[in-house]
Amino acid sequence: EQAMISAVTSDSSEAKVTVAGVPDHPGVAARLFRALADHSINVDMIEQNVSLQGTTDISFTVPHEDLATAEEVSSSLMGAIEATEVLADPDIATVSIIGAGMKTHPGISATMFETLAAEGINIEMISTSSIRLTCVVRADVVDKAVVALHRAFNLENE
Amino acid sequence: EQAMISAVTSDSSEAKVTVAGVPDHPGVAARLFRALADHSINVDMIEQNVSLQGTTDISFTVPHEDLATAEEVSSSLMGAIEATEVLADPDIATVSIIGAGMKTHPGISATMFETLAAEGINIEMISTSSIRLTCVVRADVVDKAVVALHRAFNLENE
Ligand SMILES: C[C@@H](O)[C@H](N)C(=O)O
Ligand SMILES: C[C@@H](O)[C@H](N)C(=O)O
């Protein structure tokens, strides 16, 4: 399992916006992201989980320098898209493990999450791609997370 | 903008499980995914957005043949991880656009979302990587989504 992971990376260059409580019907994501695009906001991660009672939250990350504008644009849309609140969070970082074949090695995600839990690090968001598993954590613990993950996946000399 | 997207893909081979209402403190994700790994469940996407009032939802996808076991394992953990419900959803599909430089071309996500909205397709989950933007939609509309996205990104002859 350790052999599957080739790198641990982190990124502290971005901040997060969460547009919360939006009705889960067509057109909402389109409206929000067209407005952000119109303001030339470079959006990196976009995360939306399922709605359970008709509303859901959309989170996205932007470079720190774009946070104020992103929050402003999102807030100005609150009425139009019926969001209940817009939260801006500059104090995040992402930590990722990178490797092939993670889908067929289910223990890998468990090991990442156990490693962070053992450090008392709360996992605030989780996102995956075929070769990368990313967790959003508090920025002030990301270095501790990276060290612990290097150790857990036998990458200490990298 | 259209020039940035090189492919539209879809995947109907997976089902979704949502473990809802879990307390947002260290150890929860670890416990859930270690249990899934112990049952050899091949997890593909993992998605968790932020908690706003101390609890959050964790969704993940598995091959259709693993859905029953994944639901069972998750349900059996409900007490231990204090989840409020476990939802199994076999009727999803993912549709993705693939391209380079999406972060610096914010209109691309807006175009994808507008295209789906114009077809009346509800976006149930959103996930991103550096080169791929993925939406979870109802399985019965994914083909319509793929056709519309090919047209929107000028890939009709692909
Ligand atoms: C919440 C948002 O993604 C909505 N479901 C839409 O399709 O735009
Ligand atoms: C919700 C879950 O991700 C939790 N925050 C954990 O760290 O395990």
Side-chain angles (χ1 to χ4, degrees):
Chain A
E1 184 186 289
Q2 279 82 354
M4 306 299 308
I5 298 305
S6 57
V8 177
T9 65
S10 65
D11 185 349
S12 301
S13 69
E14 296 183 332
K16 158 165 58 80
V17 176
T18 300
V19 179
V22 295
D24 186 21
H25 58 67
V28 171
R31 186 86 189 258
L32 173 63
F33 288 92
R34 180 54 66 193
L36 293 166
D38 289 346
H39 286 79
S40 305
I41 307 266
N42 288 333
V43 172
D44 186 13
M45 282 174 74
I46 303 172
E47 284 271 321
Q48 176 195 308
N49 205 342
V50 298
S51 67
L52 275 86
Q53 281 145 17
T55 66
T56 188
D57 309 323
I58 303 175
S59 292
F60 58 93
T61 63
V62 297
H64 281 289
E65 56 270 27
D66 287 347
L67 181 62
T69 309
E71 180 181 11
E72 209 168 302
V73 169
S74 302
S75 297
S76 67
L77 272 180
M78 272 179 76
I81 60 176
E82 298 174 79
T84 55
E85 59 183 323
V86 171
L87 304 155
D89 185 354
D91 300 324
I92 62 153
T94 63
V95 59
S96 301
I97 59 173
I98 296 169
M102 285 198 276
K103 181 174 171 180
T104 47
H105 290 79
I108 289 177
S109 60
T111 295
M112 180 180 196
F113 302 150
E114 287 168 342
T115 301
L116 296 177
E119 299 293 321
I121 293 171
N122 193 47
I123 299 165
E124 302 179 5
M125 293 173 69
I126 302 170
S127 180
T128 48
S129 75
S130 51
I131 57 161
R132 177 193 292 255
L133 175 44
T134 297
C135 293
V136 170
V137 300
R138 282 298 90 189
D140 62 8
V141 297
V142 73
D143 290 343
K144 176 164 69 161
V146 169
V147 169
L149 288 166
H150 271 124
R151 186 181 316 120
F153 290 104
N154 290 342
L155 295 169
E156 272 152 298
N157 299 319
E158 319 268 318
Chain B
E1 182 186 290
Q2 278 83 353
M4 307 300 305
I5 298 304
S6 56
V8 177
T9 65
S10 66
D11 184 352
S12 300
S13 69
E14 296 184 332
K16 158 166 56 82
V17 176
T18 300
V19 179
V22 294
D24 186 22
H25 58 68
V28 170
R31 185 86 189 259
L32 173 62
F33 287 92
R34 180 54 66 192
L36 293 166
D38 289 346
H39 287 80
S40 305
I41 308 266
N42 287 333
V43 172
D44 186 14
M45 281 173 75
I46 303 172
E47 283 272 322
Q48 175 194 311
N49 205 342
V50 298
S51 67
L52 274 86
Q53 281 146 17
T55 66
T56 188
D57 309 323
I58 303 175
S59 291
F60 59 93
T61 64
V62 297
H64 280 288
E65 58 270 25
D66 287 348
L67 181 62
T69 310
E71 182 182 11
E72 208 168 305
V73 169
S74 304
S75 298
S76 68
L77 273 179
M78 272 179 76
I81 60 176
E82 299 174 80
T84 55
E85 60 184 320
V86 171
L87 304 155
D89 184 354
D91 299 324
I92 62 154
T94 62
V95 59
S96 301
I97 57 173
I98 295 168
M102 285 198 275
K103 180 173 170 182
T104 47
H105 290 80
I108 289 178
S109 61
T111 296
M112 181 181 195
F113 303 149
E114 287 167 342
T115 302
L116 296 176
E119 300 293 321
I121 294 171
N122 192 47
I123 299 164
E124 304 180 4
M125 293 173 70
I126 303 170
S127 181
T128 48
S129 75
S130 52
I131 58 161
R132 177 192 292 256
L133 174 46
T134 298
C135 293
V136 170
V137 300
R138 282 300 90 189
D140 63 7
V141 296
V142 73
D143 291 343
K144 177 163 69 161
V146 169
V147 169
L149 288 167
H150 272 124
R151 184 180 317 120
F153 290 104
N154 290 341
L155 295 169
E156 272 152 296
N157 299 319
E158 318 265 321

